[in-house]
Amino acid sequence: MRDRDCRARRLFFKLDIEGYEYRALLGMRQTLAAAEEAVGFVEFDAHMLANAGEDVTAYWRFVREHFSVYAFSRSNTWLPANDWDLAQLKQFIGRHCHTDLVLIKSNDPSLADRLLAPWPRATDPRVAAVARQAA
């Protein structure tokens, strides 16, 4: 990617690498910074991250600092998750602590709604309680 002009372009990426997603994202920092927009579908599995020797809290902090983050529940509903701490994320995704995250870097506030339109936004009362705790 270093040899290609990535500026003012869109970047799409999918990471499902059994706990090494944080390392991959750290390695992509220059590419992500050069892209005007970026959308990533990234696996989040606290157990695999820990088994890979990653600091799960640092990873969660990193994605929230660099992207707008959207998390999926086990019922394939989603909510914005930037304001959540790790405990709130775990409460939303369930005891297995495994989900897919959508990471978005964009100046277009409607991009997330357009991308996530095929999936319902979470409405379960327990999920709403997680969202209220984060607010």
Side-chain angles (χ1 to χ4, degrees):
M1 293 300 289
R2 196 175 313 180
D3 296 336
R4 298 186 183 259
D5 180 9
C6 224
R7 291 173 301 220
R9 293 194 180 164
R10 292 183 175 106
L11 177 66
F12 173 78
F13 59 97
K14 168 71 170 120
L15 298 176
D16 183 350
I17 46 181
E18 308 309 312
Y20 294 94
E21 292 80 9
Y22 186 28
R23 289 184 202 181
L25 286 169
L26 289 173
M28 293 172 58
R29 282 184 290 201
Q30 287 181 320
T31 301
L32 289 164
E36 183 179 301
E37 280 187 332
V39 174
F41 288 83
V42 179
E43 180 182 42
F44 182 95
D45 187 307
H47 302 294
M48 284 190 210
L49 287 160
N51 288 341
E54 297 298 341
D55 180 336
V56 177
T57 302
Y59 173 48
W60 181 240
R61 183 174 42 251
F62 176 85
V63 295
R64 290 181 305 135
E65 288 172 356
H66 292 87
F67 301 95
S68 295
V69 180
Y70 302 85
F72 280 85
S73 71
R74 292 184 60 83
S75 61
N76 284 327
T77 60
W78 61 272
L79 278 176
N82 276 79
D83 295 330
W84 296 354
D85 62 24
L86 193 54
Q88 290 166 316
L89 174 67
K90 288 178 180 180
Q91 183 181 355
F92 178 64
I93 63 179
R95 67 175 191 202
H96 296 293
C97 208
H98 175 93
T99 192
D100 288 313
L101 302 175
V102 176
L103 308 178
I104 298 176
K105 172 192 164 187
S106 177
N107 292 324
D108 179 355
S110 69
L111 180 59
D113 288 332
R114 291 192 325 261
L115 282 173
L116 297 169
W119 296 277
R121 188 177 173 120
T123 57
D124 183 297
R126 292 170 295 151
V127 171
V130 172
R132 278 195 304 277
Q133 287 175 352

